[in-house]
Amino acid sequence: MTAPPAAISPTGLLNLDPTVVATARRLAARAAEPVVAMARAHTTVAVERATLRLAGITGADSTHRAGDVPWVNRVVDTVREHCGLEHGAVLPVFHALREHNLGTLTELAEATAAGQVRYTVPDGRDRDRAAKAGRTAVARGLRTVDRNRAQRDRLVGRLGDPKQRPWIYLIVATGDIDEDVVQAANAARAGADIIAVIRSTGQSLLDYVPEGATHHGFAGTYATQENFRIMRAALDEVSKEVGRYVRLTNYASGLCMPEIAVLAGLQRLDMMLNDSMYGILFRDINPVRTFVDQRFSRQVHARAGIIINTGEDNYLTTADAVDAAHTVTVSQLLNEHFAHEAGLPDHLLGLGHAFEINPTIPDSFRLELAHALLARELFPDAPLKWMPPTKHMTGDVFNGYLLDGFFNLAGVLTGQSILLVGMMTEAVVTPFLSDRDLALANVRYVLGAAGALAEDFRPAPDGLIVTRAKQVLGEAVDLLERIVDDGLLNAIADGTFGLMKRPADRGKGVDGVVEKADGYCNPASELLESGQSEEGATA
Amino acid sequence: MTDTMGAQAEAGTPDGPGAKRYVRPYGDTTGDGMAQLSFTLPVPHGPRADGAAQQLANKMGMDPAMVVHSHPIGADFTFFVVYGSVSHLVDLDTVRVVEREFPLLTPSEVNADVKKLLRRKLVVVGACIGTDAHTVGIDAILNIKGFAGEKGLEYYRELRVVNLGAQVSVPELVRQARADKADAVLISQVVTQRDAHILNTQEMSAAFREAMGDRRPLLIAGGPRFDPLMAGELGVDRVFSRGTTPGEVASYLVHAVRTKRGATV
């Protein structure tokens, strides 16, 4: 099983009032309720594309004058033009497949590009047939996802999880997948347990997923199905060599969140960055689009056994880490609720937080410990992701190395589960080979010297750490009350999070949101909601 | 240039450190030239690697050079820390720095200056014009996410940002800039063919001049294929090239608004 082993998790050190904690969760659920209802009532072009990808469509139209257009975009765009997406793409697509007597979705896509297909929403027996055929195809895709999950469990069983907590998370990002493979293998040999391949700048705003192996990213490498496959295969090799299962991370965020989630499930990725509000706040993606896409992508992640990583660290890079500490807690509670609602259990919930307090303010390290412990105790069973300082890394690499050491110490002392390794060259250059090596040496030293220090760590009951943690939780409850009164979408519109104002009817990708009609049909949603797998699966 | 000159300059300056013409690094004694250096060589760890590091340091002008630390990184690489005295002198009279025509400001300084100068928010309208669908550049400058560790212009409280996105036509851009009473218009061109980025930008600046004359907003063009010296040819106020950060653009906006005010008031 991929359930993480119990870390040396301090609990009960803060003596949090259980009724306050329960209130916070209840408020988060109430704040999320209307958003979940809205997410259920809508679909998006990306959800429909993700569904067709599960049903087996692959490849791209390389003859189009605008460059490679994925077949799935051609098909969904054409369906929308002909008969709308209110009923979902599956009915018109599988109806057309039968009407034109075509064997595969790719053939259908080619015929679509040639202008030979007229899509309609079938009814009566035609509808039932199309729905059934679609369900069979989607179930086949889900079986691949299920097989990958079982394969991961087998490999973890055979090779083992990392011996220590926190797991060590390293980023590679060269823009060229072949170069990434070399760097990732070296990082794993040097001690990384998790490899994250950062995406090319701006991919989150592309309304399609690029195809094939790519070699020219900007400050990162494009997330494509083929790149996923190449990297996972390389890490399987190196996992055997280092004797532990090395996990692979990518980003299910932006306009193609649901599709990337599906591709991750199909290629056995292990973790995905997937935040409920990041795209809205930091990429100006339409809020409705984001919540609809997010729900579907989380259902896929739940099915695939993928650990999600949420992005609360980002709030602290824009707002002050002390003043805005409670917004992190609120976002974690909302992320938790949305994740549970989509079927993700606690052990797949990598809630994020970060070491971003200005190091020149007095007691900054004690405040960091208070915030980190609060997250640990609020979410005892979640594999929390602890993010290194970025905002106060100045280019003074010597000072940065010290700060990263304190970050590592806070991580082990408060029982964090996943530790993103900080680089002293943050905000200077992409890390040198030696920077990564020194960063890992820093982690090893702290783990070796203080890995079990949590045993001796008992913050004073009325001390600054305990008092501060309670204060932040109190402020989080206050904010949640305001959000419940105001409505989450209004709160987002008013700039409650990360200082950004994002109205529900604006933002990128708003054109891709469609209200579902009564007869909406999406076998992927049905199978994911019900947790069924083998149904309709005649090979 | 000789050592003696340096020694004289260093020794014979009664006017304090600011008056020195020739300087060298300071370790713990004036004129010791001590510097530290770290690097990695693609050589397996061992005496040969240390010797190689020594040789590199010597060639870099460090003599004597002490390899004070080395350790292997994997089987094929070695990391070194080297201390040593460098033989080079710096002639301060020959130091030439490229002067930016405006000072770099922090976001809070930008906010304070805009407030003081305009007593309202400064309106920035941004777009990718022509057929270019690559909003990477304009988004890096405008989105709060930002670029190179700096937050985008959206983050600045005193800036109001309207990002029109990609494939915006010139008439549409002019209309929007007018409707929003833009103080500045940022256009981005990333992927272009046959100098389309130049023609598009010229078309844009001509349209603004025709529609609004002297009351046109500040026009700023950005993209990896632009040369900052092309502003005149393009008919814009400023050109930003590859690697520009949001902070530079924000600082420029303050500078340009201040200059414009100075000229008209």
Side-chain angles (χ1 to χ4, degrees):
Chain A
M1 258 323 284
T2 48
I8 317 167
S9 277
T11 46
L13 297 181
L14 296 173
N15 195 22
L16 297 175
D17 183 347
T19 55
V20 178
V21 175
T23 304
R25 284 215 159 79
R26 185 170 42 77
L27 289 168
R30 272 181 56 198
E33 209 172 293
V35 172
V36 171
M38 179 201 71
R40 285 173 179 276
H42 293 80
T43 184
T44 70
V45 287
V47 165
E48 298 305 320
R49 294 196 301 252
T51 303
L52 293 187
R53 283 185 184 274
L54 272 175
I57 192 166
T58 57
D61 181 357
S62 52
T63 61
H64 196 276
R65 63 192 147 76
D68 288 7
V69 177
W71 283 127
V72 73
N73 285 61
R74 282 314 281 278
V75 170
V76 169
D77 289 350
T78 312
V79 169
R80 187 172 192 187
E81 214 178 288
H82 290 178
C83 61
L85 287 174
E86 294 78 3
H87 295 84
V90 162
L91 291 177
V93 163
F94 281 87
H95 180 57
L97 199 63
R98 199 174 68 89
E99 264 197 322
H100 292 265
N101 209 11
L102 293 166
T104 66
L105 290 177
T106 309
E107 286 171 39
L108 178 70
E110 282 165 2
T112 305
Q116 295 161 353
V117 180
R118 184 83 212 163
Y119 288 101
T120 56
V121 179
D123 47 23
R125 287 189 52 196
D126 284 344
R127 180 193 156 94
D128 296 343
R129 268 199 211 104
K132 185 154 182 264
R135 197 176 170 96
T136 306
V138 166
R140 202 176 295 135
L142 283 177
R143 276 210 305 284
T144 305
V145 172
D146 293 342
R147 267 200 304 277
N148 281 334
R149 181 178 187 151
Q151 170 74 352
R152 179 193 303 116
D153 290 345
R154 258 198 306 280
L155 288 171
V156 170
R158 193 183 308 153
L159 298 167
D161 270 323
K163 287 179 188 57
Q164 86 295 330
R165 276 285 183 168
W167 290 352
I168 297 169
Y169 179 116
L170 262 183
I171 290 170
V172 300
T174 69
D176 180 336
I177 188 62
D178 296 334
E179 205 62 49
D180 287 346
V181 161
V182 176
Q183 296 221 7
N186 280 322
R189 289 184 194 111
D193 301 314
I194 302 160
I195 300 294
V197 181
I198 286 208
R199 297 198 299 180
S200 180
T201 298
Q203 184 174 357
S204 55
L205 299 179
L206 298 180
D207 212 344
Y208 64 91
V209 182
E211 277 285 322
T214 67
H215 307 280
H216 306 284
F218 304 93
T221 307
Y222 284 103
T224 73
Q225 184 166 9
E226 179 61 8
N227 285 349
F228 285 3
R229 189 194 64 73
I230 290 169
M231 185 55 94
R232 187 56 264 173
L235 290 184
D236 281 348
E237 280 303 306
V238 83
S239 293
K240 277 185 236 157
E241 186 188 320
V242 299
R244 65 197 141 80
Y245 183 71
V246 179
R247 287 177 167 79
L248 175 58
T249 303
N250 211 287
Y251 295 69
S253 60
L255 291 172
C256 293
M257 193 191 291
E259 292 174 89
I260 303 256
V262 164
L263 299 179
L266 292 175
Q267 299 299 333
R268 188 166 36 88
L269 269 66
D270 307 284
M271 293 191 182
M272 297 299 277
L273 276 87
N274 185 242
D275 189 82
S276 60
M277 296 189 289
Y278 171 81
I280 303 171
L281 300 173
F282 296 93
R283 288 300 191 186
D284 195 13
I285 293 173
N286 174 257
V288 181
R289 169 80 178 249
T290 300
F291 284 119
V292 176
D293 285 352
Q294 181 229 168
R295 185 164 184 273
F296 186 93
S297 66
R298 286 188 175 188
Q299 290 176 327
V300 173
H301 290 141
R303 180 63 170 248
I306 288 173
I307 297 175
I308 63 162
N309 292 184
T310 60
E312 281 81 2
D313 51 299
N314 289 288
Y315 300 141
L316 302 184
T317 63
T318 51
D320 180 82
V322 176
D323 297 343
H326 64 291
T327 66
V328 168
T329 308
V330 166
S331 172
Q332 288 168 336
L333 287 161
L334 290 169
N335 261 312
E336 179 194 50
H337 180 82
F338 285 126
H340 283 167
E341 195 278 327
L344 281 161
D346 281 339
H347 75 87
L348 296 181
L349 212 46
L351 298 171
H353 56 148
F355 188 96
E356 290 282 19
I357 297 174
N358 184 344
T360 64
I361 72 165
D363 292 320
S364 65
F365 185 67
R366 296 167 83 191
L367 294 171
E368 294 285 10
L369 290 178
H371 299 174
L373 260 187
L374 176 62
R376 182 69 284 168
E377 297 205 352
L378 278 179
F379 310 100
D381 300 317
L384 296 182
K385 184 179 182 196
W386 183 226
M387 310 278 282
T390 58
K391 195 174 168 184
H392 300 286
M393 298 295 272
T394 57
D396 176 351
V397 293
F398 303 101
N399 189 53
Y401 197 67
L402 175 65
L403 207 55
D404 280 334
F406 271 59
F407 158 76
N408 293 333
L409 180 60
V412 299
L413 202 51
T414 59
Q416 304 301 314
S417 316
I418 298 165
L419 184 139
L420 197 160
V421 178
M423 295 291 148
M424 63 186 185
T425 42
E426 177 73 39
V428 184
V429 291
T430 54
F432 292 177
L433 181 71
S434 55
D435 297 325
R436 214 170 266 146
D437 182 69
L438 290 166
L440 284 168
N442 190 331
V443 174
R444 273 196 303 274
Y445 166 68
V446 174
L447 272 172
L453 188 59
E455 254 176 59
D456 307 308
F457 177 50
R458 297 283 175 276
D462 300 315
L464 184 135
I465 290 175
V466 171
T467 315
R468 172 65 187 166
K470 287 180 175 164
Q471 182 197 351
V472 172
L473 180 59
E475 287 172 7
V477 168
D478 292 346
L479 176 56
L480 279 165
E481 271 166 0
R482 287 206 300 281
I483 292 172
V484 167
D485 288 345
D486 197 17
L488 179 55
L489 285 174
N490 289 330
I492 291 170
D494 296 343
T496 305
F497 300 98
L499 304 175
M500 294 315 308
K501 297 183 177 172
R502 302 301 190 201
D505 58 347
R506 297 251 297 274
K508 302 184 179 81
V510 65
D511 297 346
V513 180
V514 177
E515 198 175 341
K516 290 179 187 170
D518 281 343
Y520 177 78
C521 168
N522 186 329
S525 298
E526 291 160 23
L527 291 168
L528 289 167
E529 297 260 2
S530 67
Q532 286 173 307
S533 53
E534 301 304 320
E535 183 180 343
T538 52
Chain B
M1 186 167 309
T2 68
D3 253 346
T4 1
M5 279 173 69
Q8 278 167 0
E10 279 165 14
T13 46
D15 310 333
K20 283 178 192 166
R21 176 170 174 190
Y22 296 102
V23 294
R24 51 174 25 150
Y26 182 102
D28 68 349
T29 310
T30 300
D32 62 13
M34 289 299 283
Q36 64 195 358
L37 178 65
S38 65
F39 54 87
T40 302
L41 288 177
V43 180
H45 185 235
R48 193 155 166 267
D50 286 7
Q54 175 103 33
Q55 188 188 102
L56 176 67
N58 290 153
K59 285 183 173 167
M60 291 174 77
M62 216 178 233
D63 195 12
M66 296 175 285
V67 178
V68 298
H69 171 82
S70 67
H71 74 247
I73 303 179
D76 304 326
F77 294 90
T78 306
F79 175 69
F80 307 92
V81 179
V82 181
Y83 277 71
S85 176
V86 296
S87 50
H88 308 295
L89 284 174
V90 177
D91 179 354
L92 292 176
D93 283 2
T94 62
V95 172
R96 296 279 175 270
V97 287
V98 180
E99 303 285 351
R100 199 185 293 105
E101 77 266 31
F102 54 89
L104 268 190
L105 307 175
T106 65
S108 51
E109 288 168 338
V110 168
N111 287 334
D113 285 1
V114 168
K115 218 169 185 172
K116 209 160 45 194
L117 283 166
L118 295 179
R119 293 197 193 82
R120 60 168 173 80
K121 293 192 180 191
L122 187 151
V123 181
V124 180
V125 171
C128 280
I129 56 172
T131 55
D132 189 2
H134 295 75
T135 57
V136 179
I138 196 81
D139 287 331
I141 299 299
L142 297 183
N143 278 6
I144 191 162
K145 171 77 181 171
F147 173 63
E150 287 184 16
K151 298 295 152 198
L153 299 190
E154 280 190 332
Y155 172 65
Y156 292 70
R157 196 173 304 116
E158 296 299 324
L159 302 185
R160 190 165 84 80
V161 173
V162 182
N163 187 349
L164 300 178
Q167 302 188 338
V168 179
S169 72
V170 167
E172 171 69 13
L173 179 64
V174 173
R175 190 162 56 242
Q176 277 290 341
R178 225 189 213 148
D180 285 309
K181 297 199 172 66
D183 296 291
V185 170
L186 271 59
I187 64 106
S188 169
Q189 296 276 272
V190 177
V191 177
T192 73
Q193 288 174 318
R194 287 189 295 276
D195 288 341
H197 59 297
I198 294 176
L199 301 173
N200 287 342
T201 307
Q202 286 170 334
E203 183 197 341
M204 184 272 308
S205 60
F208 272 104
R209 261 194 305 279
E210 191 174 317
M212 304 169 85
D214 288 344
R215 306 188 46 177
R216 71 168 171 81
L218 283 166
L219 301 178
I220 300 164
R225 296 189 56 196
F226 286 123
D227 180 335
L229 296 172
M230 286 160 49
E233 183 194 339
L234 295 170
V236 300
D237 296 290
R238 185 72 158 82
V239 171
F240 287 103
S241 193
R242 186 184 289 279
T244 301
T245 63
E248 290 175 73
V249 176
S251 303
Y252 168 75
L253 289 174
V254 169
H255 166 80
V257 167
R258 182 174 286 137
T259 315
K260 212 171 171 181
R261 296 230 127 192
T264 53
V265 175

